[in-house]
Amino acid sequence: QQPVQSPQAVILREGEDAVINCSSSKALYSVHWYRQKHGEAPIFLMILLKGGEQKGHDKISASFNEKKQQSSLYLTASQLSYSGTYFCGTEDRDNAGNMLTFGGGTRLMVKP
Amino acid sequence: EAGVTQFPSHSVIEKGQTVTLRCDPISGHDNLYWYRRVMGKEIKFLLHFVKESKQDESGMPNNRFLAERTGGTYSTLKVQPAELEDSGVYFCASSQDGQAPNTEAFFGQGTRLTVV
């Protein structure tokens, strides 16, 4: 079942923060976050595996709630390079190790 | 180390014609996935190879689509005959371990297919 991402789009000024949410109706095995710039390959950001987990590097971090049904991606002090479309990809217990089911994407535009 | 490469980057064909997309995964990666993104919609899974075997092809839209991975190296995805609704960006991804979940998948830049 496809995860639901929100918001669909967001426009920021440089230095502002953003949160992107990814929700599932059932408990997940893992959540993968990707960023894609137009015409380029989606780039892997991080995987979350455990309920309650928080992970991050630089100014991009993510959390996975205790029930493993929701993940949020946090972009702090955004930079122009953060612009792109962010996708969450989920694995559930039935397809763990198989394919990812992607959300609809969140288009992020960071302006000077 | 070369990443996942896809050819061509863009293809424009007429309805009813045949197109073959190619994906070269990262060397040594057993898993190869095909995904498709139709404009304005999410990235959808098409199929999964483990080496040369089709692990899961539940996402293939219909029998006009044929994927192969001879020798467990590169893969091709053929659309024959192409229809207008086949337009979109076709992504290939590969990952290393055939049995472990949670393995990072590396994506190619995609092939943009336009059927006119």
Side-chain angles (χ1 to χ4, degrees):
Chain A
Q1 189 171 9
Q2 183 190 0
V4 177
Q5 273 188 248
S6 62
Q8 289 184 315
V10 60
I11 300 174
L12 300 174
R13 295 281 183 196
E14 261 188 301
E16 293 180 341
D17 302 341
V19 181
I20 300 171
N21 298 304
C22 177
S23 298
S24 172
S25 59
K26 58 180 181 178
L28 299 166
Y29 192 91
S30 68
V31 175
H32 304 226
W33 283 98
Y34 285 84
R35 175 175 63 210
Q36 184 196 11
K37 293 185 180 289
H38 183 69
E40 298 180 8
I43 299 298
F44 172 79
L45 296 176
M46 63 190 82
I47 295 176
L48 297 114
L49 303 171
K50 301 176 184 177
E53 181 177 10
Q54 295 194 45
K55 180 181 283 191
H57 50 83
D58 198 14
K59 297 173 183 174
I60 301 177
S61 62
S63 64
F64 202 9
N65 74 346
E66 288 289 345
K67 290 186 177 180
K68 300 182 73 173
Q69 287 182 265
Q70 182 171 356
S71 177
S72 296
L73 184 70
Y74 305 94
L75 306 169
T76 57
S78 59
Q79 305 169 15
L80 296 177
S81 61
Y82 288 3
S83 293
T85 301
Y86 290 77
F87 293 97
C88 68
T90 60
E91 289 178 292
D92 59 38
R93 294 189 185 280
D94 295 332
N95 66 18
N98 196 351
M99 79 289 195
L100 294 174
T101 303
F102 286 93
T106 297
R107 291 187 66 181
L108 175 71
M109 181 183 296
V110 181
K111 293 186 173 182
Chain B
E1 179 184 328
V4 177
T5 52
Q6 292 185 244
F7 306 96
S9 57
H10 195 173
S11 180
V12 181
I13 61 171
E14 292 184 355
K15 177 181 172 181
Q17 291 184 328
T18 298
V19 63
T20 301
L21 314 181
R22 172 168 168 153
C23 169
D24 286 69
I26 292 173
S27 178
H29 280 193
D30 289 340
N31 290 292
L32 188 150
Y33 308 85
W34 283 98
Y35 291 88
R36 176 175 71 176
R37 187 179 186 205
V38 173
M39 183 176 290
K41 298 195 174 181
E42 74 278 10
I43 301 173
K44 278 194 172 178
F45 168 78
L46 296 178
L47 89 160
H48 172 206
F49 284 100
V50 178
K51 297 184 181 178
E52 68 275 9
S53 300
K54 292 178 184 175
Q55 178 81 3
D56 182 347
E57 51 184 331
S58 61
M60 295 287 264
N62 50 59
N63 59 9
R64 294 186 292 103
F65 289 75
L66 175 64
E68 294 180 321
R69 192 183 182 195
T70 307
T73 54
Y74 70 90
S75 175
T76 58
L77 179 65
K78 180 188 288 188
V79 185
Q80 180 181 28
E83 298 290 343
L84 298 178
E85 64 263 24
D86 300 334
S87 296
V89 180
Y90 290 77
F91 290 103
C92 173
S94 72
S95 64
Q96 193 164 15
D97 193 316
Q99 295 301 320
N102 321 314
T103 305
E104 176 184 351
F106 295 84
F107 279 77
Q109 83 284 2
T111 293
R112 181 175 295 277
L113 175 64
T114 303
V115 183
V116 297

